[in-house]
Amino acid sequence: MTLHRTWIGRRLLLGLGQTAAVVLLIFVLTEALPGDAAVALAGDQPDPERIARIREAMQLDRPAIERFLEWVGGMLHGDLGASLVTGRPVTGYLTTGLGPTVLLAAATLVLLVPLSVGLGVLAARREGGPLDRTVSALTLAVHAVPEFALGVLLATLFALRLGWLPPTAVGTGGDLAAHPAVLVLPVAVLLSRPVCSISRLVRAGMIDAMASPYAAQARRYGLSGARVRWAHALPNALAPATQQLARTCDWLLSGVIVVEALFVIPGLGTVLIDAVAARDVPVVQGIAVVFGVVTVVLNLGADLVARRFAPRSQVAA
Amino acid sequence: MNHSSLGSRLPGLARRGFIIGTGATALALAAGCGTGGSAPGAKDDGAAGGTPKRGGRLRAAFAGGGANETLDPHSASLFVDAARAKALFDKLADFGADLSPLPRLAARWEPNAALDSWRITLRKAAFHDGRPVTAEDVLYSYRRIADPKQAFRAQAALEPIDLGASRAVNASTVEFKLKRPYAEFPNTLAAFGAYIVPKDADTFDRPVGSGPFSFVSFKPGSSLLVKRNAAYWDGAPHLDELEFVVASEESARVGALLGGQVEYAHELNPATARAHEGQGKITVVRLRNSAMQGFVMKTDRPPFDDKRVRQAFFLIADRKELVDGSLSGAGEIGNDLFGKGSQYYAAGLPQRTQDLKRARALLREAGAEGLKVTLDTAPVATGFIEAAGIFKEQAAKAGVTVDVKVGNKDTYWKDILTSGTFASYRSGPMPIESHVSQRLLTGSPTNATHWRHKDFDELYQQIQSTRDDKQRAALYDRMQRRLHNEGGFLIWGFADWIVATAPKVRGVAKEAPANTLDWARFDKIWLA
């Protein structure tokens, strides 16, 4: 057990280190972007005097290291600073954007697990059969379609042609939970790729597990096929899938950006894109910290779960 | 955040040139804009005319500035900012379809003999809280814009005013003292972002203006809801409510319009417009002469410091091909002059056409055979990259090698202001005078062609010291003749600005270039 504890401790430390690295990296990267918030704000009126005035007003003329340390100091007190452009607190940006994005991600994940496990197990049961081949071909095909194109296609077909669903989230005022119909298409787009990759992993894992000595042993004991499949083989098959699921969360971020733009959902992805274009460093950093922490925690959780499912596979810390 | 001239602001979306070309987003023209009022502009009642009907809510989708949006009208820089500011506030004047200033909150303006002092008489108008609009409010607003600690967009336009010496003669009369004679001073009153706010207003979470609609609620980056101001001085709007929703992706704006989620969508791609025009599902309105398209040549450095090279480049451009190729035909060809269709435009000058032989000869004379130039461009606006590619091909036919360099779109305008020699350019509508004073004088803040000529500056000053319209027009002719002959602006086209509405929407003006009074004028629109 102590071994388990030290492993968790190691993973936690690693996670903290990763988060700190993300924070630093984001700062360096935004600093390295051409131009700064003053230039971005001046836009097509780049009068040098005007840019200098904006820069002064935003206190961008201070050295980067000074700004970085001040920001880290504030963060340790739970203060993420304020937007350079509006002066509104970054936490406000996060809270308004977080709701829709979390809702999208949660709805996606909730559907993702049963869907991909079901598909994977189904395909594995009929290995090599027509059903397996169909699922295989379909998942490959869908996985190859870019989200942007898929989103436009789905919206054109189901919203504009058939009129079954709203084409965008316009008019919901960001309150998506009250308009579940609005969520259908965005979630379908978000699901499209991870369902494919995870179900393929589950299928491969299941086929391996069903062919393994312990599954054969369980069958020799006279356990029913279902019992062997669901209680013995599946947990082992799920270990790689769980870790893939955590990776999916990182991927969800980019998917969310596309989906939010396509369906006009004012979530974090949209806030992030706007902040990058405006070189609004505090907002970019605030979001990056949130995403960084979430990603680290999810991966940590996934490794823990994978370890539970398949302790022998020795997930490295 | 916001700003920028017709620019695209959705990075991150790897665009696959598939279904959707470029999603130009954050658009703010480098130019003036409008506020409600009764303009002589040709009114068109859309599909069917009839008597305006009262009532209903209209939802209008614009590309927006995201969570950084503010309702401070002086910070306006995107189209959506301008449209919102216009609903809530008024300016002293605004631009007609020919970009000449029309009275708004100012009922009249009279200059002194020297044209360096102007008396503005305000009309009777009230803010939404019932307070009358007075000379004090006007002076407060202009001083706020001009505050050197701020960087409001209209600052450059207000520069000619000596605000320290200007004063309120009485509650309804303002006297503006200027730093120099300025015959076209009313352009300043109509400048983009020069809105009148109540005295001492400094936060705009719940803005109070004098515009046709009053504030109800606002969610930055998402929606602004306003309601009919029954006491509006220029006639109460027909709509009960107006909601601005932000949808930065063009496909989303079109989808929302087709799906009945909005009734008005601003700024569509030409391809989208063509696909839906005449299908009966939506009404497409093309606002002509809305965006000048061209290239800037830096006239102070090789190779363009030799005017023969500039003239050769004028002759290389096949304008029709550029309009067809990069604007999908949604526009008109240009003649290397700014302001087609606006007051003082030298329409009499012969239209330039491609002449590769003459271009080669000019280059030979200038000793620039086998010329290589770098063309800076960026995905800031629809058609920029495409136009650069097309011009590259055209130049090759004249033996000129153009190397297209794609830069960063967020900093593009600053980057091309001082560096490079040759770059893509575009501009929203503004009076020719504003174009000249902001871009073509020695001291101009955004002189991208580095056109600095003492005699040209003097000619501008002479125009502004000339009282008579006809004489001014003659001087403008002279000025434009010179720019047409050897300027640094290669202006190949003027793009339409495309808006679309649900079929039941009426009263959308067709003769209203972006940023003019009748553009996005929701107080004159009704639902049939």
Side-chain angles (χ1 to χ4, degrees):
Chain A
M1 212 62 250
T2 43
L3 208 120
H4 190 61
R5 257 201 216 119
T6 49
W7 180 83
I8 293 186
R10 271 212 313 275
R11 285 295 281 106
L12 276 174
L13 271 179
L14 183 67
L16 271 176
Q18 285 169 329
T19 310
V22 165
V23 167
L24 184 62
L25 189 66
I26 289 288
F27 187 85
V28 170
L29 285 177
T30 36
E31 282 296 315
L33 280 173
D36 58 12
V39 172
L41 190 70
D44 61 347
Q45 265 203 325
D47 176 3
E49 276 177 38
R50 183 172 179 231
I51 290 177
R53 272 202 307 273
I54 300 175
R55 200 163 277 154
E56 208 175 314
M58 291 182 171
Q59 303 191 331
L60 288 171
D61 40 7
R62 295 161 43 208
I65 185 78
E66 194 179 307
R67 280 181 283 126
F68 178 68
L69 290 175
E70 188 177 295
W71 175 69
V72 171
M75 197 166 54
L76 295 176
H77 297 113
D79 172 17
L80 287 174
S83 155
L84 288 174
V85 182
T86 61
R88 294 199 278 256
V90 172
T91 40
Y93 281 76
L94 291 176
T95 45
T96 47
L98 204 58
T101 303
V102 165
L103 187 62
L104 274 179
T108 306
L109 288 173
V110 162
L111 292 170
L112 181 58
V113 176
L115 263 179
S116 41
V117 169
L119 265 181
V121 172
L122 197 68
R125 271 190 75 174
R126 306 260 189 274
E127 191 193 346
L131 181 81
D132 180 27
R133 271 196 234 131
T134 315
V135 170
S136 209
L138 268 180
T139 47
L140 250 185
V142 174
H143 196 264
V145 181
E147 298 90 41
F148 197 86
L150 186 69
V152 172
L153 270 172
L154 289 182
T156 307
L157 180 63
F158 290 105
L160 302 180
R161 269 294 139 82
L162 300 170
W164 293 350
L165 293 161
T168 68
V170 159
T172 55
D175 180 16
L176 302 179
H179 306 79
V182 162
L183 284 170
V184 177
L185 291 177
V187 168
V189 174
L190 282 174
L191 277 172
S192 61
R193 295 178 95 176
V195 157
C196 300
S197 58
I198 294 174
S199 66
R200 293 174 80 85
L201 273 172
V202 170
R203 172 186 175 273
M206 271 309 273
I207 289 169
D208 281 355
M210 289 302 280
S212 68
Y214 61 83
Q217 181 71 353
R219 273 196 290 272
R220 275 197 292 277
Y221 276 128
L223 295 180
S224 70
R227 182 83 200 264
V228 173
R229 190 172 306 116
W230 296 106
H232 295 263
L234 186 64
N236 276 288
L238 280 184
T242 316
Q243 284 164 313
Q244 175 64 25
L245 188 66
R247 314 275 178 279
T248 298
C249 295
D250 323 349
W251 169 89
L252 263 182
L253 168 57
S254 66
V256 156
I257 289 175
V258 173
V259 163
E260 284 182 7
L262 262 181
F263 296 100
V264 200
I265 298 168
L268 277 187
T270 312
V271 176
L272 180 62
I273 291 292
D274 289 332
V276 169
R279 305 286 187 270
D280 198 344
V281 181
V283 178
V284 175
Q285 284 167 331
I287 295 175
V289 169
V290 169
F291 280 135
V293 169
V294 168
T295 306
V296 166
V297 167
L298 281 173
N299 279 300
L300 184 64
D303 288 353
L304 279 173
V305 172
R307 222 177 125 97
R308 281 271 328 117
F309 276 145
R312 272 174 308 252
S313 62
Q314 279 307 326
V315 179
Chain B
M1 84 126 321
N2 316 309
H3 51 334
S4 219
S5 93
L6 308 157
S8 150
R9 270 171 72 257
L10 257 195
L13 289 183
R15 230 161 270 294
R16 290 150 178 119
F18 158 117
I19 302 183
I20 298 200
T22 25
T25 349
L27 284 161
L29 284 168
C33 118
T35 328
S38 50
K43 272 271 176 286
D44 191 292
D45 299 340
T51 329
K53 237 177 72 189
R54 170 75 213 277
R57 175 193 287 197
L58 179 117
R59 291 161 302 178
F62 282 75
N68 274 341
E69 291 179 331
T70 153
L71 290 178
D72 180 342
H74 297 157
S75 298
S77 80
L78 304 182
F79 281 125
V80 66
D81 297 332
R84 285 191 293 223
K86 176 188 284 207
L88 291 163
F89 298 90
D90 283 316
K91 291 186 290 193
L92 291 177
D94 212 337
F95 297 115
D98 68 346
L99 278 298
S100 64
L102 305 166
R104 300 293 294 151
L105 279 179
R108 288 193 308 285
W109 42 72
E110 293 119 30
N112 64 352
L115 299 175
D116 62 359
S117 169
W118 288 70
R119 215 165 244 249
I120 312 294
T121 310
L122 300 177
R123 73 173 65 250
K124 271 209 178 322
F127 289 112
H128 301 145
D129 57 7
R131 283 182 295 165
V133 179
T134 67
E136 292 295 337
D137 301 310
V138 171
L139 285 167
Y140 169 79
S141 303
Y142 278 31
R143 283 180 183 139
R144 181 173 188 261
I145 292 169
D147 179 356
K149 285 202 290 293
Q150 302 278 2
F152 292 128
R153 191 184 186 89
Q155 229 160 45
L158 299 194
E159 180 276 331
I161 309 176
D162 180 349
L163 281 165
S166 302
R167 63 189 183 103
V169 178
N170 57 39
S172 64
T173 315
V174 187
E175 188 172 66
F176 284 115
K177 292 277 186 223
L178 308 185
K179 298 169 186 168
R180 53 191 168 267
Y182 189 10
E184 291 181 81
F185 174 66
N187 287 345
T188 297
L189 310 179
F192 187 103
Y195 292 95
I196 305 305
V197 302
K199 203 171 121 205
D200 302 326
D202 205 32
T203 54
F204 293 88
D205 306 331
R206 302 192 57 83
V208 172
S210 62
F213 295 92
S214 65
F215 177 81
V216 178
S217 66
F218 178 50
K219 284 187 72 167
S222 165
S223 119
L224 166 71
L225 182 64
V226 294
K227 66 175 193 289
R228 179 174 186 265
N229 170 12
Y232 188 50
W233 60 265
D234 194 24
H238 308 301
L239 300 167
D240 285 335
E241 284 183 316
L242 166 64
E243 186 181 13
F244 292 93
V245 294
V246 166
S248 289
E249 197 57 43
E250 193 252 6
S251 67
R253 291 195 296 277
V254 177
L257 179 65
L258 289 166
Q261 294 183 308
V262 299
E263 290 76 34
Y264 180 104
H266 185 254
E267 200 197 334
L268 268 55
N269 294 340
T272 316
R274 262 215 312 270
H276 294 287
E277 226 160 2
Q279 303 280 320
K281 276 185 157 174
I282 57 176
T283 310
V284 173
V285 181
R286 292 169 183 272
L287 307 174
R288 309 205 73 81
N289 295 334
S290 281
M292 170 223 119
Q293 308 279 330
F295 301 109
V296 284
M297 304 178 271
K298 297 241 178 316
T299 59
D300 63 342
R301 58 193 66 175
F304 298 113
D305 51 355
D306 186 324
K307 75 174 178 196
R308 287 169 300 193
V309 177
R310 301 200 293 269
Q311 287 161 342
F313 271 58
F314 287 147
L315 296 171
I316 283 172
D318 176 344
R319 292 142 207 274
K320 179 95 175 62
E321 190 180 29
L322 282 158
V323 170
D324 289 345
S326 67
L327 304 176
S328 309
E332 298 174 27
I333 57 168
N335 194 24
D336 303 322
L337 290 174
F338 183 84
K340 191 168 188 173
S342 62
Q343 194 187 18
Y344 304 123
Y345 179 78
L349 291 176
Q351 174 62 51
R352 233 181 221 126
T353 50
Q354 189 182 46
D355 184 346
L356 295 172
K357 214 165 108 210
R358 176 93 188 99
R360 275 179 189 273
L362 280 164
L363 290 169
R364 206 169 357 203
E365 272 173 53
E369 277 174 293
L371 179 65
K372 277 193 176 57
V373 285
T374 301
L375 169 54
D376 287 303
T377 189
V380 270
T382 314
F384 257 42
I385 309 270
E386 294 84 344
I390 294 168
F391 189 80
K392 177 191 174 127
E393 312 261 305
Q394 295 175 356
K397 292 179 195 155
V400 175
T401 311
V402 172
D403 176 24
V404 176
K405 195 167 115 219
V406 179
N408 181 292
K409 64 176 185 44
D410 298 327
T411 57
Y412 180 75
W413 299 108
K414 174 188 165 281
D415 297 342
I416 64 152
L417 183 60
T418 46
S419 43
T421 54
F422 190 44
S424 298
Y425 199 90
R426 87 190 273 187
S427 160
M430 60 176 80
I432 290 172
E433 179 271 320
S434 308
H435 168 75
V436 171
S437 67
Q438 288 183 27
R439 299 172 183 154
L440 291 165
L441 304 181
T442 303
S444 292
T446 50
N447 191 334
T449 56
H450 294 205
W451 178 261
R452 298 188 182 103
H453 298 277
K454 212 165 166 330
D455 55 338
F456 190 89
D457 297 351
E458 281 161 5
L459 179 57
Y460 170 81
Q461 221 27 72
Q462 191 189 343
I463 292 175
Q464 294 315 324
S465 314
T466 303
R467 226 191 154 88
D468 180 71
D469 251 6
K470 280 212 173 51
Q471 282 175 20
R472 264 212 306 276
L475 292 169
Y476 265 125
D477 243 25
R478 211 172 95 195
M479 182 181 252
Q480 291 175 86
R481 211 172 286 278
R482 176 162 177 199
L483 291 171
H484 182 254
N485 179 40
E486 51 155 328
F489 276 99
L490 194 175
I491 296 173
W492 53 260
F494 290 88
D496 296 344
W497 208 242
I498 302 173
V499 301
T501 66
K504 64 176 176 185
V505 176
R506 302 275 188 277
V508 179
K510 294 208 161 134
E511 294 300 316
N515 291 340
T516 58
L517 172 61
D518 285 341
W519 162 83
R521 199 166 168 200
F522 295 104
D523 51 320
K524 296 297 175 199
I525 290 177
W526 75 95
L527 301 170

